[in-house]
Amino acid sequence: MKPLRYSLLLGTALGACLAAPLPALAQTHYRDGTYPGPTYSAYYGYVQAQVTVHSGKITEVRVLKYPSDRATSRYIASRALPYLEREVIRAQSGRIYGVTGATLDSRAFVASIDGALRSASH
Amino acid sequence: MDATRFLMGMPVTVDVPAGTQAVIEAAFARFAEIEARFSPFRPDSEVVRFNALRLVDGEPSEELREVLALAERTRIETDGYFDIARPDGFLDPTGIVKGWAIREVARQIEAQGFADYLVDAGGDIQCRGNAPDGEPWRIGIRNPFDAMQIVKVIAPRDHGIATSGTSARGQHIYDPHQPGRRISDVLSITVIGPDVLEADRFATAAFAMGEGGIGFIEAQPGLEGYLIGADRLAVQTTGFREFVVS
């Protein structure tokens, strides 16, 4: 068996479940070395693993690539976290250089807040 | 230095801390040029002549082609929630032009070698680098219930920020899928994007979607959003807090 083949199996297994044990592979003898696997699509993103073999045994499996694209990981996350963070709005203050949400003169608004804060501090 | 003028039907602020008067003037001149080409209210604008099928040689210009292509792309990306076709059939690209114009001016300032600037047209803002106080630019999100208040202070860093809402000009967005429907459950949605054009076009579409708009922004790579509802509750996307100062 070529290392590529292990990676294919690992890739599939990792795509299904990163924590799954690999009993079938554990029965085989391997050449010592570190073998990065090819990249596979796991539908929601790409997965790539790397296997290190020492004294004929798998000593380490590293995930080199996993679905980190935000849209897809968010899609998955959205299943686990149905609610986005909510809060009751309340007034804030601080030095600002523009106001979004305004179609009025935002600089005038800024100046006005500055003025209000100045009078508030007297 | 900075200056504010009334252009494209809204106040426009250009702030380039290390810039000269000439830099500011050139920025406003570019806005004026864009307004002359794209205004739906000027009988001699290219947009009006385009709609009247009265284009002359060399038109449509590269700029009009670019803006129309952007509008069409946005219509597709937002499932028709963003559409420049008015009910009377007139193609009015104003909804794209605002963000596009800010981005054009920002690029012009950058090309002149300035790393710190802020360009604000009617509350849609592109900023880069630091404010005159040496800190990153900070932008307030207006309270739709009280125009004299802000409810968040945001440091967009080198992003664009835009808000679509009902707070300042009344009901100016309609749902193309339900023409008679008032969008009343959502008062404003603020979007932070890779540049102001991206923020603006997606804010407009997300607002038209009503409460589902924030989920739409959540699903878009590179965009963050803050929705304020009629119940005074705000809903934010998962990465929004990275931009919040207070």
Side-chain angles (χ1 to χ4, degrees):
Chain A
M1 255 187 190
K2 289 177 183 173
L4 189 81
R5 175 78 177 141
Y6 310 153
S7 294
L8 189 149
L9 291 168
L10 275 172
T12 309
L14 285 164
C17 178
L18 289 169
L22 302 162
L25 288 172
Q27 304 300 316
T28 319
H29 291 284
Y30 312 109
R31 286 174 291 156
D32 287 1
T34 297
Y35 308 101
T39 301
Y40 282 93
S41 168
Y43 175 64
Y44 52 87
Y46 292 92
V47 175
Q48 187 187 21
Q50 175 180 280
V51 177
T52 300
V53 176
H54 186 71
S55 301
K57 290 181 177 167
I58 297 172
T59 54
E60 186 185 35
V61 177
R62 288 183 62 194
V63 179
L64 299 181
K65 196 182 282 177
Y66 60 95
S68 60
D69 169 72
R70 211 171 63 150
T72 51
S73 58
R74 279 185 170 197
Y75 172 76
I76 293 162
S78 71
R79 293 301 178 91
L81 299 167
Y83 298 111
L84 292 175
E85 194 177 333
R86 282 163 195 265
E87 64 186 16
V88 176
I89 57 165
R90 59 190 179 88
Q92 300 287 339
S93 59
R95 181 98 171 86
I96 51 173
Y97 292 87
V99 177
T100 186
T103 42
L104 303 168
D105 184 339
S106 65
R107 280 298 162 111
F109 180 63
V110 170
S112 170
I113 287 189
D114 276 354
L117 289 175
R118 258 194 297 278
S119 27
S121 62
H122 281 318
Chain B
M1 71 174 297
D2 73 287
T4 299
R5 286 185 204 160
F6 203 81
L7 282 158
M8 307 193 301
M10 65 191 91
V12 176
T13 295
V14 177
D15 193 339
V16 187
T20 58
Q21 182 76 39
V23 170
I24 304 292
E25 289 303 332
F28 284 123
R30 182 77 180 107
F31 270 120
E33 186 182 284
I34 291 168
E35 182 178 21
R37 187 187 296 283
F38 290 99
S39 173
F41 309 112
R42 294 187 181 190
D44 60 333
S45 79
E46 189 181 345
V47 159
V48 168
R49 286 185 289 105
F50 172 78
N51 275 283
L53 306 175
R54 285 194 289 110
L55 290 179
V56 298
D57 269 358
E59 291 180 344
S61 62
E62 274 301 310
E63 292 192 348
L64 180 56
R65 286 170 197 265
E66 183 184 339
V67 164
L68 291 176
L70 272 166
E72 178 58 11
R73 204 177 88 202
T74 309
R75 190 184 64 77
I76 293 165
E77 285 170 342
T78 64
D79 191 28
Y81 277 96
F82 185 102
D83 196 338
I84 64 167
R86 297 198 309 219
D88 64 3
F90 189 92
L91 287 183
D92 179 1
T94 307
I96 282 284
V97 168
K98 184 181 177 185
W100 183 81
I102 299 167
R103 197 178 71 176
E104 283 291 300
V105 170
R107 284 177 176 175
Q108 176 174 299
I109 294 167
E110 244 169 73
Q112 290 168 319
F114 296 97
D116 301 311
Y117 62 79
L118 175 147
V119 182
D120 174 348
D124 289 356
I125 299 164
Q126 177 78 50
C127 53
R128 192 178 164 208
N130 290 334
D133 64 3
E135 299 288 321
W137 298 98
R138 273 99 61 209
I139 308 300
I141 296 180
R142 181 181 289 259
N143 183 350
F145 296 95
D146 183 348
M148 292 309 291
Q149 274 188 2
I150 53 168
V151 294
K152 274 275 175 274
V153 177
I154 303 298
R157 302 198 290 275
D158 299 346
H159 293 70
I161 186 166
T163 298
S164 196
T166 56
S167 54
R169 278 188 177 175
Q171 207 75 33
H172 70 295
I173 293 187
Y174 69 100
D175 179 347
H177 296 301
Q178 300 177 64
R181 182 185 153 223
R182 269 180 60 89
I183 296 170
S184 56
D185 49 348
V186 175
L187 294 185
S188 74
I189 182 157
T190 299
V191 174
I192 300 171
D195 63 47
V196 67
L197 174 61
E198 295 300 284
D200 189 26
R201 62 199 191 101
F202 282 100
T204 306
F207 187 74
M209 291 175 191
E211 254 185 315
I214 194 72
F216 173 72
I217 296 301
E218 174 77 3
Q220 305 299 315
L223 298 181
E224 301 297 343
Y226 190 80
L227 174 151
I228 300 175
D231 52 6
R232 289 180 183 265
L233 276 178
V235 187
Q236 56 186 287
T237 58
T238 47
F240 185 80
R241 60 167 58 249
E242 290 163 33
F243 297 97
V244 174
V245 177
S246 65

